[in-house]
Protein backbone atom coordinates (compact mmCIF):
# COMPACT_ATOMS: atom_id res chain seq x y z
CA UNK A 1 0.00 0.00 0.00
CA UNK A 2 1.49 3.30 -1.06
CA UNK A 3 0.82 5.67 1.84
CA UNK A 4 2.86 8.86 2.01
CA UNK A 5 1.38 11.12 4.69
CA UNK A 6 -0.65 11.09 7.85
CA UNK A 7 -3.84 12.27 6.12
CA UNK A 8 -3.82 9.20 3.88
CA UNK A 9 -3.15 6.95 6.85
CA UNK A 10 -6.06 8.38 8.81
CA UNK A 11 -8.46 8.17 5.87
CA UNK A 12 -7.73 4.57 4.98
CA UNK A 13 -6.88 2.78 8.20
CA UNK A 14 -8.65 4.92 10.80
CA UNK A 15 -5.79 5.45 13.21
CA UNK A 16 -6.82 6.43 16.74
CA UNK A 17 -4.29 7.76 19.23
CA UNK A 18 -4.51 7.95 22.99
CA UNK A 19 -2.07 9.43 25.45
CA UNK A 20 -0.04 6.25 25.85
CA UNK A 21 -0.95 4.00 22.94
CA UNK A 22 -1.81 3.79 19.26
CA UNK A 23 -4.83 1.68 18.43
CA UNK A 24 -5.59 0.34 14.94
CA UNK A 25 -9.22 -0.15 14.03
CA UNK A 26 -9.73 -2.46 11.02
CA UNK A 27 -12.30 -1.66 8.36
CA UNK A 28 -14.98 -4.20 7.56
CA UNK A 29 -15.26 -5.20 3.92
CA UNK A 30 -18.18 -5.70 1.56
CA UNK A 31 -17.99 -7.88 -1.54
CA UNK A 32 -14.42 -8.75 -0.57
CA UNK A 33 -12.09 -9.96 -3.38
CA UNK A 34 -10.70 -13.47 -3.12
CA UNK A 35 -7.57 -13.85 -1.00
CA UNK A 36 -4.31 -13.16 -2.86
CA UNK A 37 -0.67 -12.34 -2.23
CA UNK A 38 2.10 -10.20 -3.78
CA UNK A 39 -0.49 -7.74 -5.13
CA UNK A 40 -0.08 -3.94 -5.04
CA UNK A 41 -2.35 -1.16 -3.79
CA UNK A 42 -2.38 2.63 -3.96
CA UNK A 43 -4.64 5.03 -2.05
CA UNK A 44 -6.50 7.88 -3.75
CA UNK A 45 -6.96 10.63 -1.16
CA UNK A 46 -9.08 12.82 -3.45
CA UNK A 47 -11.74 10.14 -3.96
CA UNK A 48 -11.14 8.27 -0.68
CA UNK A 49 -10.66 4.96 -2.46
CA UNK A 50 -8.08 2.20 -2.91
CA UNK A 51 -6.90 0.68 -6.19
CA UNK A 52 -5.61 -2.89 -6.08
CA UNK A 53 -3.95 -4.71 -8.98
CA UNK A 54 -2.36 -8.06 -9.73
CA UNK A 55 -1.05 -10.66 -7.33
CA UNK A 56 -1.51 -14.40 -7.25
CA UNK A 57 -4.03 -16.83 -5.83
CA UNK A 58 -3.45 -20.36 -4.64
CA UNK A 59 -6.75 -22.17 -5.03
CA UNK A 60 -7.46 -25.72 -3.99
CA UNK A 61 -9.04 -27.99 -6.55
CA UNK A 62 -12.08 -28.45 -4.32
CA UNK A 63 -12.61 -24.69 -4.09
CA UNK A 64 -12.39 -24.42 -7.86
CA UNK A 65 -14.91 -27.19 -8.36
CA UNK A 66 -12.43 -29.40 -10.19
CA UNK A 67 -12.90 -33.14 -10.15
CA UNK A 68 -10.45 -35.79 -11.27
CA UNK A 69 -11.03 -36.46 -14.95
CA UNK A 70 -10.93 -40.02 -16.24
CA UNK A 71 -8.29 -40.87 -18.78
CA UNK A 72 -9.37 -40.95 -22.39
CA UNK A 73 -10.23 -44.45 -23.61
CA UNK A 74 -7.53 -44.24 -26.25
CA UNK A 75 -4.89 -43.61 -23.59
CA UNK A 76 -5.62 -46.72 -21.55
CA UNK A 77 -7.25 -49.16 -23.91
CA UNK A 78 -4.50 -49.60 -26.49
CA UNK A 79 -3.27 -52.89 -27.72
CA UNK A 80 0.01 -54.58 -26.90
CA UNK A 81 2.74 -53.26 -24.62
CA UNK A 82 1.83 -49.57 -25.05
CA UNK A 83 -1.72 -50.23 -23.90
CA UNK A 84 -0.52 -52.19 -20.87
CA UNK A 85 1.93 -49.44 -19.88
CA UNK A 86 -0.75 -46.76 -20.23
CA UNK A 87 -3.18 -48.80 -18.13
CA UNK A 88 -0.52 -49.34 -15.45
CA UNK A 89 0.28 -45.61 -15.34
CA UNK A 90 -3.41 -44.78 -15.04
CA UNK A 91 -3.78 -47.20 -12.14
CA UNK A 92 -0.74 -45.71 -10.40
CA UNK A 93 -2.11 -42.19 -10.88
CA UNK A 94 -5.50 -43.20 -9.45
CA UNK A 95 -3.79 -44.85 -6.47
CA UNK A 96 -1.67 -41.74 -5.79
CA UNK A 97 -4.75 -39.51 -5.97
CA UNK A 98 -6.61 -41.78 -3.56
CA UNK A 99 -3.68 -41.77 -1.12
CA UNK A 100 -3.44 -37.98 -1.24
CA UNK A 101 -7.17 -37.69 -0.64
CA UNK A 102 -6.98 -40.06 2.34
CA UNK A 103 -4.10 -38.06 3.77
CA UNK A 104 -6.11 -34.85 3.46
CA UNK A 105 -3.74 -33.42 0.91
CA UNK A 106 -5.21 -31.13 -1.76
CA UNK A 107 -3.69 -30.01 -5.01
CA UNK A 108 -3.29 -26.23 -5.27
CA UNK A 109 -3.38 -24.27 -8.49
CA UNK A 110 -1.43 -21.00 -8.62
CA UNK A 111 -3.09 -18.33 -10.71
CA UNK A 112 -1.45 -15.00 -11.56
CA UNK A 113 -3.90 -12.09 -11.79
CA UNK A 114 -4.36 -8.90 -13.79
CA UNK A 115 -7.61 -7.82 -12.18
CA UNK A 116 -8.11 -4.21 -11.11
CA UNK A 117 -10.26 -3.60 -8.03
CA UNK A 118 -11.36 -0.31 -6.50
CA UNK A 119 -12.33 -0.11 -2.85
CA UNK A 120 -14.44 2.84 -1.72
CA UNK A 121 -13.73 3.77 1.90
CA UNK A 122 -16.74 4.72 4.03
CA UNK A 123 -15.38 6.46 7.12
CA UNK A 124 -18.78 6.71 8.81
CA UNK A 125 -19.51 3.01 8.48
CA UNK A 126 -15.87 1.95 8.94
CA UNK A 127 -16.16 -0.18 5.82
CA UNK A 128 -14.69 -0.68 2.36
CA UNK A 129 -16.90 -1.50 -0.63
CA UNK A 130 -14.88 -3.45 -3.24
CA UNK A 131 -15.76 -3.61 -6.93
CA UNK A 132 -13.86 -5.16 -9.80
CA UNK A 133 -13.26 -2.74 -12.67
CA UNK A 134 -13.86 -4.01 -16.22
CA UNK A 135 -12.03 -1.57 -18.52
CA UNK A 136 -11.85 -1.61 -22.30
CA UNK A 137 -8.54 -1.99 -24.13
CA UNK A 138 -5.79 -4.56 -23.66
CA UNK A 139 -5.00 -5.07 -19.96
CA UNK A 140 -1.51 -5.64 -18.53
CA UNK A 141 -0.24 -9.20 -18.37
CA UNK A 142 -0.94 -11.04 -15.12
CA UNK A 143 1.90 -10.27 -12.68
CA UNK A 144 3.09 -9.96 -9.11
CA UNK A 145 5.19 -7.36 -7.27
CA UNK A 146 4.49 -4.54 -9.72
CA UNK A 147 4.77 -0.81 -9.05
CA UNK A 148 1.40 0.96 -8.79
CA UNK A 149 0.94 4.72 -8.68
CA UNK A 150 -1.77 7.34 -9.08
CA UNK A 151 -0.82 10.33 -11.23
CA UNK A 152 -3.13 12.99 -12.68
CA UNK A 153 -6.13 10.83 -11.72
CA UNK A 154 -4.73 7.92 -13.74
CA UNK A 155 -3.48 4.59 -12.40
CA UNK A 156 -0.04 3.50 -13.62
CA UNK A 157 1.13 -0.12 -13.50
CA UNK A 158 4.82 -0.81 -14.11
CA UNK A 159 6.98 -3.90 -14.09
CA UNK A 160 6.73 -6.89 -11.81
CA UNK A 161 7.17 -10.56 -12.65
CA UNK A 162 5.06 -12.81 -14.83
CA UNK A 163 4.02 -16.37 -14.09
CA UNK A 164 7.30 -17.72 -15.54
CA UNK A 165 9.40 -15.47 -13.30
CA UNK A 166 10.41 -13.08 -16.09
CA UNK A 167 11.03 -9.44 -15.21
CA UNK A 168 8.51 -7.13 -16.90
CA UNK A 169 9.44 -3.59 -17.96
CA UNK A 170 6.19 -2.39 -19.48
CA UNK A 171 3.91 0.37 -18.23
CA UNK A 172 0.14 0.45 -18.56
CA UNK A 173 -2.22 3.27 -17.72
CA UNK A 174 -5.80 2.96 -16.52
CA UNK A 175 -7.91 6.06 -17.16
CA UNK A 176 -11.02 6.10 -14.94
CA UNK A 177 -12.54 8.86 -17.06
CA UNK A 178 -13.11 6.57 -20.05
CA UNK A 179 -12.58 3.28 -18.14
CA UNK A 180 -9.80 2.04 -20.42
CA UNK A 181 -6.35 0.42 -20.35
CA UNK A 182 -3.54 1.28 -22.73
CA UNK A 183 0.15 0.43 -22.85
CA UNK A 184 2.20 3.63 -22.70
CA UNK A 185 5.73 2.23 -22.40
CA UNK A 186 7.68 -0.96 -22.98
CA UNK A 187 11.37 -1.73 -22.84
CA UNK A 188 13.70 -4.70 -22.69
CA UNK A 189 14.25 -6.35 -19.34
CA UNK A 190 17.66 -5.77 -17.71
CA UNK A 191 20.27 -8.53 -18.00
CA UNK A 192 19.63 -11.44 -15.70
CA UNK A 193 21.17 -10.90 -12.30
CA UNK A 194 21.48 -7.11 -12.71
CA UNK A 195 20.20 -5.50 -9.48
CA UNK A 196 17.62 -2.77 -10.08
CA UNK A 197 15.37 -0.68 -7.86
CA UNK A 198 12.37 1.01 -9.52
CA UNK A 199 9.94 3.54 -8.06
CA UNK A 200 7.75 6.48 -9.04
CA UNK A 201 8.54 10.09 -8.17
CA UNK A 202 5.06 11.65 -8.09
CA UNK A 203 6.24 15.22 -7.56
CA UNK A 204 8.50 15.19 -10.62
CA UNK A 205 6.23 12.83 -12.57
CA UNK A 206 9.07 10.44 -13.28
CA UNK A 207 9.82 6.75 -13.13
CA UNK A 208 13.23 6.28 -11.51
CA UNK A 209 15.51 3.27 -11.95
CA UNK A 210 18.49 2.71 -9.68
CA UNK A 211 21.23 0.49 -11.09
CA UNK A 212 23.06 -1.47 -8.41
CA UNK A 213 25.65 -3.13 -10.64
CA UNK A 214 28.43 -1.31 -8.79
CA UNK A 215 27.08 -2.48 -5.44
CA UNK A 216 26.02 1.00 -4.37
CA UNK A 217 22.90 1.77 -6.48
CA UNK A 218 24.60 4.97 -7.61
CA UNK A 219 23.48 5.01 -11.27
CA UNK A 220 20.12 6.67 -11.84
CA UNK A 221 17.87 6.66 -14.90
CA UNK A 222 14.71 8.78 -15.12
CA UNK A 223 11.75 8.40 -17.46
CA UNK A 224 9.60 11.51 -17.90
CA UNK A 225 5.97 10.48 -17.54
CA UNK A 226 4.24 13.69 -18.66
CA UNK A 227 4.40 12.90 -22.40
CA UNK A 228 2.98 9.45 -21.69
CA UNK A 229 0.07 10.90 -19.75
CA UNK A 230 -0.64 13.66 -22.25
CA UNK A 231 -0.55 11.52 -25.38
CA UNK A 232 -3.83 10.24 -26.73
CA UNK A 233 -2.10 7.46 -28.64
CA UNK A 234 0.33 4.80 -27.60
CA UNK A 235 3.89 6.11 -27.89
CA UNK A 236 5.09 2.65 -28.91
CA UNK A 237 2.81 2.69 -31.94
CA UNK A 238 3.79 6.26 -32.72
CA UNK A 239 7.52 5.47 -32.62
CA UNK A 240 7.03 2.40 -34.77
CA UNK A 241 5.20 4.52 -37.33
CA UNK A 242 7.95 7.13 -37.24
CA UNK A 243 10.63 4.47 -37.73
CA UNK A 244 8.76 2.96 -40.68
CA UNK A 245 8.38 6.40 -42.23
CA UNK A 246 12.12 7.08 -41.89
CA UNK A 247 12.95 3.68 -43.39
CA UNK A 248 10.66 4.35 -46.36
CA UNK A 249 12.29 7.73 -46.92
CA UNK A 250 15.75 6.16 -46.87
CA UNK A 251 14.65 3.52 -49.38
CA UNK A 252 13.22 6.20 -51.66
CA UNK A 253 16.44 8.21 -51.38
CA UNK A 254 18.54 5.13 -52.17
CA UNK A 255 16.36 4.40 -55.21
CA UNK A 256 16.83 7.92 -56.55
CA UNK A 257 20.60 7.75 -56.03
CA UNK A 258 20.70 4.45 -57.94
CA UNK A 259 19.03 6.00 -60.97
Amino acid sequence: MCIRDRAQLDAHLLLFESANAVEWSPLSTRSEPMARSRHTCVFDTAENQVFMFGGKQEMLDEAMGDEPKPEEDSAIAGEGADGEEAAAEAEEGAASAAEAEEAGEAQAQVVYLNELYVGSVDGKENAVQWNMVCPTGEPPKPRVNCELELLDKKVLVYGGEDVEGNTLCDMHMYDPEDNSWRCVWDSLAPPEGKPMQVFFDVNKKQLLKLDGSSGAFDALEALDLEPLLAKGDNLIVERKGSAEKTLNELEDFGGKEGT
Side-chain angles (χ1 to χ4, degrees):
M1 177 82 54
C2 301
I3 298 178
R4 296 188 182 80
D5 55 42
R6 176 62 181 278
Q8 293 182 12
L9 197 62
D10 289 345
H12 179 55
L13 297 174
L14 300 183
L15 174 66
F16 296 95
E17 293 187 5
S18 62
N20 300 317
V22 176
E23 180 181 351
W24 294 92
S25 178
L27 301 180
S28 62
T29 57
R30 305 166 184 161
S31 62
E32 183 177 346
M34 291 185 66
R36 64 197 62 205
S37 63
R38 300 173 68 185
H39 52 286
T40 313
C41 297
V42 64
F43 190 73
D44 181 357
T45 55
E47 301 295 334
N48 207 34
Q49 60 188 7
V50 184
F51 288 97
M52 179 176 69
F53 178 81
K56 70 173 184 176
Q57 293 176 341
E58 295 186 9
M59 297 184 289
L60 299 180
D61 290 342
E62 294 178 358
M64 298 175 63
D66 291 343
E67 296 181 357
K69 297 181 180 179
E71 296 289 338
E72 294 293 334
D73 291 342
S74 60
I76 61 175
E79 297 180 357
D82 291 341
E84 293 176 0
E85 290 178 2
E89 290 176 0
E91 290 177 1
E92 290 177 3
S96 298
E99 291 174 1
E101 185 176 354
E102 291 176 0
E105 298 176 358
Q107 297 290 330
Q109 179 177 352
V110 178
V111 179
Y112 276 49
L113 306 169
N114 63 347
E115 301 169 340
L116 179 65
Y117 277 87
V118 58
S120 301
V121 180
D122 187 341
K124 295 181 180 179
E125 298 291 333
N126 286 6
V128 180
Q129 174 68 48
W130 288 101
N131 292 289
M132 186 171 71
V133 183
C134 299
T136 60
E138 185 176 353
K141 292 175 60 176
R143 64 192 66 200
V144 297
N145 298 339
C146 66
E147 296 293 323
L148 192 68
E149 192 53 82
L150 191 67
L151 197 59
D152 290 352
K153 299 182 178 181
K154 298 176 177 63
V155 179
L156 296 177
V157 175
Y158 177 82
E161 300 173 6
D162 65 14
V163 67
E164 297 176 349
N166 300 315
T167 300
L168 301 173
C169 295
D170 56 346
M171 186 186 303
H172 293 256
M173 182 179 72
Y174 169 67
D175 189 347
E177 185 174 344
D178 58 10
N179 190 34
S180 67
W181 280 116
R182 67 183 174 93
C183 180
V184 295
W185 185 258
D186 199 357
S187 62
L188 296 176
E192 186 176 355
K194 181 178 181 179
M196 296 285 293
Q197 294 284 345
V198 181
F199 56 93
F200 286 99
D201 185 336
V202 177
N203 294 327
K204 295 182 178 180
K205 295 184 178 181
Q206 292 179 333
L207 178 73
L208 302 179
K209 295 183 179 182
L210 287 173
D211 184 351
S213 299
S214 66
F217 286 101
D218 52 358
L220 178 65
E221 298 178 10
L223 174 64
D224 186 10
L225 300 177
E226 286 207 64
L228 307 183
L229 298 172
K231 287 285 183 180
D233 297 324
N234 189 337
L235 278 185
I236 299 173
V237 175
E238 179 182 324
R239 290 185 175 187
K240 181 179 179 181
S242 177
E244 290 177 349
K245 181 180 178 182
T246 302
L247 182 59
N248 292 334
E249 290 175 351
L250 289 174
E251 290 177 349
D252 291 342
F253 178 77
K256 291 178 181 179
E257 287 291 315
T259 56

